[in-house]
Amino acid sequence: METTRQNKISRLLQKELSEIFLLQTKAMPGILISVSAVRISPDMSIARVYLSVFPSEKAEEMVKNINENMKSIRFELGTRVRHQLRIIPELKFFVDDSLDYIEKIDSLLK
């Protein structure tokens, strides 16, 4: 169960990371990255970020690329939230495949 502070920080990080990815993907037509969820550890040091990538065929490649460029993303995030947070959490990015799972279940039910 997350505390109120964890929920507030998760929502803040989700909003800011969504804006960062929106600006970065404008240069890559045909690719859309959205932040579906952010889970933050109780000590506020690690944030697990779940990304939905469209088209889903490129999801693994994009998340691998994002994890390689994590330092620059964390720096950009730090410049945006430096007045709200004292310590910027370490970011770990994962593929959110819940939409693919829903489509699979839906096709099985048909």
Side-chain angles (χ1 to χ4, degrees), residues 70-110:
M70 193 247 316
K71 286 185 178 185
S72 63
I73 295 170
R74 187 175 178 208
F75 177 78
E76 176 70 24
L77 179 66
T79 59
R80 289 172 174 252
V81 298
R82 68 175 180 257
H83 298 297
Q84 287 100 349
L85 297 177
R86 185 176 293 172
I87 297 172
I88 307 304
E90 178 184 338
L91 302 173
K92 294 184 179 180
F93 296 97
F94 300 95
V95 176
D96 180 25
D97 55 357
S98 60
L99 292 176
D100 295 335
Y101 179 73
I102 291 170
E103 287 178 13
K104 180 181 175 187
I105 296 295
D106 192 37
S107 66
L108 289 174
L109 290 174
K110 287 181 181 177

Side-chain angles (χ1 to χ4, degrees), residues 24-71:
Q24 288 183 353
T25 56
K26 280 187 178 178
M28 299 180 286
I31 296 177
L32 178 66
I33 299 175
S34 63
V35 180
S36 58
V38 176
R39 304 278 181 250
I40 193 155
S41 64
D43 62 351
M44 312 293 177
S45 64
I46 299 172
R48 297 172 58 99
V49 181
Y50 295 92
L51 302 173
S52 294
V53 181
F54 181 80
S56 59
E57 298 83 36
K58 297 183 179 184
E60 293 294 330
E61 174 189 343
M62 292 301 295
V63 170
K64 182 176 178 265
N65 188 10
I66 289 169
N67 276 318
E68 290 172 357
N69 297 318
M70 193 247 316
K71 286 185 178 185

Side-chain angles (χ1 to χ4, degrees), residues 10-33:
S10 293
R11 285 194 309 266
L12 174 70
L13 295 177
Q14 182 176 1
K15 177 182 168 286
E16 295 298 334
L17 285 170
S18 295
E19 291 177 9
I20 290 170
F21 288 130
L22 181 66
L23 292 174
Q24 288 183 353
T25 56
K26 280 187 178 178
M28 299 180 286
I31 296 177
L32 178 66
I33 299 175

